[in-house]
Amino acid sequence: MLRLQQAGQVAGRRRVWAAGLAAVAGCVAAACSSGSGAAGEFCTGYANALHDLVVAARQYNAYPANFASIYESTMDRLTELRRTAPDDKLRSAFDTAAFTFSVFGADAGFADFLTRADFSENAVVRTCSADYGVDVKV
């Protein structure tokens, strides 16, 4: 019973956090270029929040506790970042991207996914680029 509760807690945290993850997972160095104003800040913040997580995912085998710690802090950053989205279009893209990550129940599988994923078709990446002229580097 306890294992099921723990699994539910992990999956719940992933759903909240995942919204922010999708745009930049798999990058070595994440950055946004061009664009200005609130949308540019949002896209840049999104890329920056994910960078540390992706690096930690690549080091998961050597430092699994580090990944868990960075995951928690990134979740907090992304939750706050979503609140700063300048419009419903970016909030919606953020929420759509979150769904991708709701299926992971263990850190190891999630870290592995992050190291191999190509998110060029991700909702946030596409919205930042197509609608705001902000190129999110993946």
Side-chain angles (χ1 to χ4, degrees), residues 14 17 21 53 67 71 101 104 106-114:
R14 291 258 158 68
W17 176 82
L21 240 192
L53 183 68
F67 178 78
Y71 166 79
F101 299 95
F104 295 95
D107 287 348
F110 190 46
D112 181 59
F113 174 78
L114 291 174

Side-chain angles (χ1 to χ4, degrees), residues 30-98:
C32 294
S33 61
S34 74
S36 60
E41 290 176 21
F42 175 84
C43 295
T44 300
Y46 188 74
N48 291 338
L50 297 177
H51 176 72
D52 290 343
L53 183 68
V54 172
V55 170
R58 290 182 175 186
Q59 299 172 350
Y60 178 81
N61 289 332
Y63 307 105
N66 188 49
F67 178 78
S69 174
I70 290 174
Y71 166 79
E72 291 296 327
S73 65
T74 301
M75 273 183 48
D76 293 341
R77 289 168 63 190
L78 292 172
T79 298
E80 181 58 34
L81 182 66
R82 187 193 181 282
R83 289 187 204 120
T84 68
D87 58 31
D88 287 338
K89 188 178 286 189
L90 282 171
R91 276 187 293 280
S92 177
F94 189 91
D95 294 343
T96 298

